[in-house]
Amino acid sequence: MARRLLVVLPVVLLGLAFQAILRPPPTKRCGSAGGPPVTSPRIKLRDGRYLAYREDGVQRDKAKYKIITVHAFDSTKDFPSPVSKELVEELEIYLLAFDRAGYGESDPNPGRSVKSEALDIEELADQLELGQKFHVLGVSMGGYTVWGCLQYIPHRLTGAALVVPVINYWWPSFPPEVSRQAFKKLIVPEQRTLWIAHNAPYFLYLWMTQKWLPSSAAAMHHPEIFSDHDMEVIQKMMAMPRTIENKSRQQGIYESIHRDLLVAFGNWEFDLMNITNPFPTNEGSVHIWQGYEDRLVLVELQRYLSKKLPWIQYHEVQEGGHMFMLVDGWTDKIIKALLVGEEASPM
C-alpha cells in the first residue's frame, strides 16, 4: 500500500497543480462583495444574469430608427459612438449599446456562444420595448453577434451592418487553401493564439497569462497589427481628451476577452455560408464594411464570404485599416447606407 501511495500521490498532486494553473480565477461580478460597483442601468435576463446597457440618440418612443450596437474586442458599451449628433437628429435615430456577457457591467456567461449573444439582444430589445423589429450594427469581434442575429433571430431585424467583422479561419465552407494562406498573413503571436483558441481551448488561459512568449497581439495592442491608417486614427484619438475609463476587463480577463476568443474561433453551431437572406423582398439590407489595409481581419476572406452570400452589400474601403470607421465621418456613412440606402464614396 505504501509503495502504491508513493506512485499515486505525486501523480494526483501534479494533476491538481496542473489543474490550478489551467483554471482561471473566479470572476469579480459587478455588485458582488469585492467586485466593481454597478453604475449603469441593467436588465435581468431569464437565466438570472444581468445585462448592462446605455441609451443614446433621440427618445426611444419618438425614434424613426432603432439601432442596437455591438462593441468590439476588449471594449464596452461606453466607448463613445462616432456618429454625429446632426445625423441622429436628422434621421431620428435611437441607439442602444450594451456590455456583452462578461464585459463591463454585464454578468459573465460561462455558456456564452454565438447563439446566446443573439438571444441576449432579443431579450434586451423586448424588455426595453423596442418593438418587433430593429437594426443591429456590430464592429470587429461584435460581428459574430450580428451573424448570430442573422441566423437565430432574423425575423426581428430590419437591417444589419457588420464593420470589419471577425473571421473564423475554421469555418467549414472556406476552401482550406484559401483559409490557410490568409491565416499565414497574421503575425505569429496571433496565429498561435487563434490556433490554441480553436484546437486547445483548455490551454488558452495558461497561454494568455504566461510571460515567456507573446500571446494575442490584439489583447496586447501590438503595433504590428495596425496599418498606417490605423496609426493615424490612434494619434487623432490620443489627442482627444479621455472621457471614459475602459472597464472591459474589470470582472476578469477570462470571461471577457478570453471567452470572446473561444467563441469567435471555436466550432460554430451553423455554417455561416448557409445563412439565408432575411430580406428576400428587399424590405431591409445587410452590409459588410471592410478596410483593404486591415491587418487583423483580412480582406481576402471577407471578399470570398461576400461572393458566397451575394445578398450582402459589400463595401471595401481602399485605404482603410481596422479602425477606419472612427474618423472622417465613416460612421455616418455606414449608418446612412444601412438606414436609407445612401452609398458612401470610396475612401
Side-chain angles (χ1 to χ4, degrees):
M1 179 65 71
R3 289 180 180 177
R4 187 175 298 175
L5 283 173
L6 287 174
V7 173
V8 173
L9 187 58
V11 173
V12 171
L13 292 175
L14 183 62
L16 291 173
F18 195 58
Q19 188 179 42
I21 292 172
L22 293 178
R23 182 186 297 165
T27 57
K28 298 178 181 179
R29 288 179 180 243
C30 286
S32 66
V38 176
T39 61
S40 302
R42 306 199 298 180
I43 63 164
K44 188 174 184 179
L45 300 168
R46 283 186 291 268
D47 63 6
R49 288 183 295 117
Y50 284 92
L51 202 70
Y53 65 91
R54 178 173 61 86
E55 299 174 284
D56 281 314
V58 303
Q59 291 183 17
R60 194 189 313 163
D61 57 349
K62 296 180 179 179
K64 183 177 180 181
Y65 299 103
K66 297 170 183 177
I67 305 175
I68 299 179
T69 61
V70 190
H71 67 77
F73 181 75
D74 205 9
S75 185
T76 71
K77 67 182 181 338
D78 297 316
F79 189 89
S81 173
V83 61
S84 71
K85 182 178 179 180
E86 291 75 18
L87 182 67
V88 166
E89 293 177 351
E90 175 190 344
L91 297 183
E92 300 173 64
I93 303 170
Y94 163 83
L95 295 160
L96 175 62
F98 69 102
D99 289 329
R100 295 191 285 114
Y103 276 106
E105 296 180 41
S106 287
D107 285 347
N109 180 6
R112 179 153 45 124
S113 66
V114 178
K115 183 175 184 178
S116 73
E117 294 232 330
L119 297 183
D120 283 356
I121 282 183
E122 183 176 39
E123 194 168 350
L124 177 64
D126 287 342
Q127 289 204 35
L128 294 185
E129 300 180 340
L130 296 196
Q132 183 59 29
K133 290 181 178 284
F134 46 84
H135 289 80
V136 288
L137 187 156
V139 180
S140 190
M141 191 68 88
Y144 79 70
T145 306
V146 175
W147 285 124
C149 291
L150 291 167
Q151 171 68 17
Y152 295 110
I153 58 167
H155 57 288
R156 302 300 305 272
L157 305 181
T158 48
L162 303 99
V163 183
V164 294
V166 63
I167 289 285
N168 185 325
Y169 297 87
W170 294 272
W171 281 332
S173 292
F174 278 142
E177 188 58 29
V178 173
S179 183
R180 192 180 303 114
Q181 290 301 320
F183 187 74
K184 288 180 179 178
K185 291 184 178 182
L186 297 173
I187 67 173
V188 173
E190 201 68 5
Q191 290 183 37
R192 293 171 180 157
T193 300
L194 303 191
W195 188 93
I196 291 170
H198 182 80
N199 294 287
Y202 291 108
F203 289 94
L204 184 67
Y205 176 74
L206 177 61
W207 168 252
M208 293 286 286
T209 54
Q210 54 80 33
K211 306 297 183 183
W212 300 286
L213 293 170
S215 58
S216 169
M220 299 173 67
H221 309 291
H222 195 290
E224 283 189 52
I225 66 174
F226 299 117
S227 69
D228 291 342
H229 185 261
D230 285 332
M231 295 305 297
E232 293 176 8
V233 173
I234 291 171
Q235 289 173 4
K236 289 180 181 179
M237 292 176 66
M238 290 179 66
M240 299 177 184
R242 177 173 287 188
T243 57
I244 63 162
E245 177 187 358
N246 186 0
K247 299 179 180 179
S248 62
R249 307 184 188 190
Q250 68 174 353
Q251 298 183 88
I253 57 173
Y254 187 79
E255 289 295 342
S256 54
I257 63 173
H258 294 186
R259 184 73 67 183
D260 241 0
L261 294 169
L262 293 172
V263 175
F265 300 102
N267 293 315
W268 289 24
E269 298 174 343
F270 60 95
D271 187 341
L272 192 71
M273 312 294 181
N274 291 334
I275 293 178
T276 57
N277 184 0
F279 309 116
T281 57
N282 296 321
E283 66 274 30
S285 59
V286 180
H287 303 254
I288 289 178
W289 294 81
Q290 176 63 40
Y292 177 76
E293 300 290 345
D294 195 333
R295 296 180 184 175
L296 265 178
V297 180
L298 302 179
V299 69
E300 295 91 338
L301 296 184
Q302 217 73 272
R303 288 174 177 172
Y304 183 90
L305 179 63
S306 67
K307 289 178 181 177
K308 289 295 181 180
L309 299 174
W311 45 269
I312 292 180
Q313 297 182 38
Y314 178 65
H315 315 262
E316 196 168 292
V317 182
Q318 288 302 307
E319 296 179 8
H322 195 67
M323 305 172 71
F324 78 87
M325 75 168 292
L326 299 180
V327 294
D328 301 327
W330 272 102
T331 298
D332 280 14
K333 297 172 187 177
I334 290 167
I335 289 178
K336 279 185 179 180
L338 175 64
L339 300 183
V340 298
E342 183 174 319
E343 281 286 344
S345 57
M347 191 172 185

